[in-house]
Amino acid sequence: MAEQTDTAPRATSNRSTTPGSDSFKQYISSNWAERTDVLPPARDEAAFAAERRARLSAKYPGKRLIIPAGRLKQRSNDTDFPFRAHTVFSYLTGWGSDSEPGAVLVLEPVAESESESESESGAGAAGHDAALYFRERAGRDSDEFYANPEIGEFWIGPRPSLAQVAADLALTAHGIADLDAVLEAVDGDTLIIREADPELTALVDARVAAAVIEAQDEAALPTIAFSPASGEKEEVDESAQLEQDLSEMRLVKDEYEIGQMRLAIAATAAGFDDIIRDFARITAHERGERLVEGVFNSRARADGNAVGYDTIAASGPHACILHWTRNDGPVVPGDLMLVDAGVELDSYYTADITRTLPVSGTYSPEQRMIYEAVREAADAAFAIVRPGIRFREIHATAMGVIARKTAEWGLLPVSAEEAVQPQNQQHRRYMVHGTSHHLGLDVHDCAKARREMYLDGVLEAGMVFTIEPGLYFQPDDLTVPESFRGIGVRIEDDILVTPTGAENLSAAIPRTADDVEAWVSAAGALNGRSL
C-alpha cells in the first residue's frame, strides 16, 4: 500500500467514524475498475495562454517566475469558500473554474544555449520552460481518496490526472511533490505573485533572502532604479513589478477574451430577463431584494460559474447606497429597482451591468427625468470612445452632463461651468464614484496597472471597460426637492474599443426609459400581473 497521505487541514478527528482497520483498508483498496483516462484536446484558451506566457517571458529574461493558484479559504470551522484560482494564474494557464487548489505555475528560465530554439514545454517562448505543479488524484491504494474530505474523490468527485491536465492546457504537468526541487533552486532571481498564496510566498521569501546572503555579491542585491519623481535612487520590489506588468498586459484583451466577454454579457442579459419575469413573486415577499439576488444567482450558476461579484439588488432608497449588497429590503411598486449584476463564466470572465427598473412598469415624471439625465451622460461618454483618447476623458465627459443637469434643476450653488472646475466639484455630491473601470477576469480588472497606463492611459483597440454614470439623491438630502429624495439611478454598460471607435457590448439590454418600460410591462403582461 502507498504511503498514507496527509489528512485535510481541519479534519474533525474527534467525530470521525471512518474505519481504520487493516481489513477495511485492504477491502476498500481492491476490486476497482481500471481507470481509462481519455486525454482531451487542448482547450480553446490554451494557445492564447501560451502567447501570454511568451510575452511575460520576454519581459523577464533569466528570472524564475512562480505563479500560485492559491489555496482554499476557510469560511467557518471545517467549511471553505468555493475555490477561485488567482486571476494571474488563470490568465497564464487558461485554467478557470475547474482549476485545482494549491496548483502552481512555474516559468523556469532556460540556459542561453537552450533558448536558441522554441521551447516545447508549453511556455510559448524560448526564454522559459513552463510547468504546472498540482496535487494529482490519489490512487485507490491510498486512504486519501476516501478519508480526506478536502481532496478525496469520495467527497468531492473525480479529480484529473497529470496527463489529462497536460493535454487540456497544453502544458507540462508535474505532481505537487516535484515542486520541492523548484523551491530548493530558489535564488535571488526568483519572483512570485505574492498575494496568491501567503504560505508559499513566505517560504520563497525566506529562501530568496538566504540565497542573497549566501551569494554576497552585487547581483544578489535588490534592484536599484532611478526615480524621476524624487531624483534619487530607490529600491524596487520586483515581485510588485511583476504584478504591475501582468495588470498592464491585461489592459488589451485578445480574441478569446473578447469572445468570453460577449458570452458573459449574454448570460447576464438572460439573468435580467429572469428578474423581471419574477417581479410578481418578488414584490410579494417582505425581502424581495433577496429574491432578486437569488433569481440572478440561479442564472449565473446555470450559465456560468457564479456571479462575478456580489449582486446589488437595491430597491427604493437603497439604490442611493452605491454598494448595497445586504439585499434584505422589500421591492415596492412605484419604486425603482437598481440591479447591478454580472455572470462570471467558467473561464472567470465576468460581465458588469446595471439597469434601474420601474417596479410598476412605468417611471414617475421625476424618475424618468433623472433616469434620462443619467442615460444622456452615459451616451455622451460613449460617443467619444475611440483609440487615442485618454481614459480619464470618459469620466470628464459624463461629469459634464451631470453638472449641467444638476445645475439646470437648481441643485448647485454655482453654475455647471464653475462646478466642473477641480477646486469645486459640487455636482459630485450626487455621484461620488467614477464613471469607468476596466473589466475582464476581475470585475475591477487590471487594478495594479500604473496610473499613467490606467486613468491617464490612452485607449487602444481591444480594451473593455464599463461606462456607468449615476445620480443618487439620499432620502435625507435637503439640497434636493422632496420628490427627488430616495431616488437612485445608475445605467452601466460594457464597452469594447474597436479600431475605429467603440461597441456597446450590452446594448441589447434595454436602456432608454421607453424601452425599459416596455420591457418590464411586457414581462408583467406575460405573467398576468397587474401593472
Side-chain angles (χ1 to χ4, degrees):
M1 182 178 292
E3 183 178 351
Q4 180 171 318
T5 58
D6 294 335
T7 58
R10 296 185 300 279
T12 51
S13 58
N14 61 315
R15 62 177 176 84
S16 174
T17 61
T18 305
S21 66
D22 289 341
S23 58
F24 168 78
K25 291 179 179 179
Q26 183 177 359
Y27 186 64
I28 199 171
S29 66
S30 61
N31 293 318
W32 295 101
E34 284 291 321
R35 295 187 195 252
T36 54
D37 290 340
V38 177
L39 300 185
R43 62 180 62 188
D44 292 342
E45 194 175 0
F48 294 94
E51 193 278 333
R52 298 164 195 162
R53 294 192 298 271
R55 284 190 286 143
L56 183 63
S57 174
K59 287 178 176 288
Y60 286 88
K63 300 288 185 180
R64 176 182 296 104
L65 307 179
I66 299 176
I67 298 95
R71 301 171 190 255
L72 288 165
K73 294 180 174 61
Q74 182 181 7
R75 183 181 185 275
S76 66
N77 190 27
D78 57 351
T79 60
D80 297 304
F81 288 105
F83 178 68
R84 189 190 191 280
H86 191 276
T87 293
V88 167
F89 175 88
S90 183
Y91 180 70
L92 294 174
T93 63
W95 220 0
S97 65
D98 55 342
S99 55
E100 288 284 321
V104 181
L105 173 69
V106 177
L107 270 62
E108 186 72 27
V110 299
E112 191 172 337
S113 59
E114 298 177 61
S115 64
E116 295 175 358
S117 60
E118 184 81 358
S119 167
E120 298 179 358
S121 67
H128 289 82
D129 283 333
L132 187 65
Y133 298 81
F134 72 97
R135 188 166 187 168
E136 190 185 12
R137 68 188 181 199
R140 264 59 181 276
D141 58 349
S142 162
D143 66 358
E144 178 181 289
F145 88 104
Y146 69 84
N148 189 325
E150 185 179 284
I151 55 177
E153 291 185 273
F154 262 44
W155 296 86
I156 66 170
R159 297 180 60 236
S161 68
L162 295 175
Q164 286 173 321
V165 170
D168 186 16
L169 302 180
L171 262 170
T172 299
H174 300 290
I176 195 66
D178 293 340
L179 184 64
D180 288 345
V182 175
L183 298 177
E184 289 295 334
V186 162
D187 57 17
D189 285 324
T190 300
L191 306 178
I192 186 170
I193 296 296
R194 305 187 60 79
E195 67 182 10
D197 187 333
E199 184 178 330
L200 183 60
T201 296
L203 177 60
V204 169
D205 282 351
R207 294 189 175 180
V208 167
V212 168
I213 292 171
E214 184 179 346
Q216 292 293 309
D217 59 39
E218 200 65 27
L221 294 176
T223 301
I224 301 297
F226 187 74
S227 170
S230 65
E232 299 175 354
K233 291 184 177 181
E234 62 179 16
E235 190 172 301
V236 175
D237 183 337
E238 289 189 282
S239 286
Q241 180 71 47
L242 173 62
E243 294 180 14
Q244 176 183 287
D245 286 342
L246 281 159
S247 268
E248 292 174 3
M249 281 174 59
R250 298 190 350 254
L251 285 167
V252 176
K253 270 54 181 177
D254 57 38
E255 178 186 346
Y256 175 84
E257 293 178 290
I258 293 169
Q260 290 296 293
M261 296 301 300
R262 293 185 187 278
L263 292 174
I265 291 164
T268 300
F272 275 88
D273 285 336
D274 295 341
I275 291 168
I276 292 173
R277 281 194 294 267
D278 214 11
F279 260 0
R281 186 172 68 97
I282 288 166
T283 54
H285 197 282
E286 64 181 1
R287 294 207 292 179
E289 291 175 343
R290 287 281 167 95
L291 272 64
V292 171
E293 177 185 344
V295 168
F296 189 84
N297 287 4
S298 179
R299 173 63 64 175
R301 290 294 285 164
D303 290 1
N305 175 49
V307 290
Y309 52 96
D310 288 341
T311 297
I312 298 170
S315 184
H318 288 164
C320 300
I321 302 171
L322 301 181
H323 283 176
W324 174 258
T325 56
R326 191 181 305 166
N327 300 342
D328 61 358
V331 177
V332 179
D335 280 349
L336 298 181
M337 176 81 225
L338 187 155
V339 182
D340 186 334
V343 172
E344 175 190 89
L345 300 183
D346 285 317
S347 62
Y348 289 160
Y349 288 88
T350 185
D352 182 6
I353 309 293
T354 305
R355 291 293 185 264
T356 306
L357 312 168
V359 178
S360 297
T362 57
Y363 296 101
S364 71
E366 289 87 354
Q367 290 170 347
R368 173 178 278 267
M369 181 175 69
I370 294 165
Y371 183 94
E372 287 292 85
V374 172
R375 185 173 68 87
E376 184 177 335
D379 289 350
F382 176 74
I384 72 163
V385 176
R386 65 185 184 280
I389 72 162
R390 294 200 177 274
F391 191 69
R392 63 163 54 250
E393 295 177 51
I394 300 168
H395 176 70
T397 300
M399 287 297 95
V401 176
I402 295 298
R404 177 166 54 82
K405 288 295 183 180
T406 51
E408 286 175 4
W409 298 336
L411 307 184
L412 305 183
V414 297
S415 69
E417 292 75 19
E418 292 172 302
V420 296
Q421 297 302 312
Q423 69 272 20
N424 293 326
Q425 301 288 300
Q426 290 90 342
H427 60 297
R428 296 298 302 278
R429 176 183 181 119
Y430 312 110
M431 180 185 155
V432 299
H433 62 79
T435 303
S436 299
H437 59 78
H438 282 268
L439 183 66
L441 281 167
D442 291 331
V443 65
H444 296 143
D445 210 28
C446 314
K448 294 188 176 180
R450 290 167 292 171
R451 182 185 178 92
E452 58 264 36
M453 296 294 289
Y454 202 129
L455 183 60
D456 295 325
V458 175
L459 297 195
E460 299 179 46
M463 288 182 170
V464 178
F465 49 77
T466 66
I467 291 180
E468 51 176 310
L471 280 168
Y472 314 90
F473 300 114
Q474 303 296 333
D476 57 351
D477 190 341
L478 301 182
T479 69
V480 303
E482 188 173 354
S483 61
F484 280 28
R485 296 172 196 167
I487 294 177
V489 173
R490 182 162 66 252
I491 303 171
E492 179 179 20
D493 288 288
D494 300 342
I495 311 302
L496 168 68
V497 182
T498 68
T500 58
E503 177 186 353
N504 183 345
L505 298 175
S506 49
I509 306 174
R511 297 180 69 256
T512 70
D514 288 343
D515 287 347
V516 172
E517 286 182 340
W519 184 29
V520 176
S521 296
L526 183 66
N527 291 294
R529 180 167 65 98
S530 176
L531 296 174

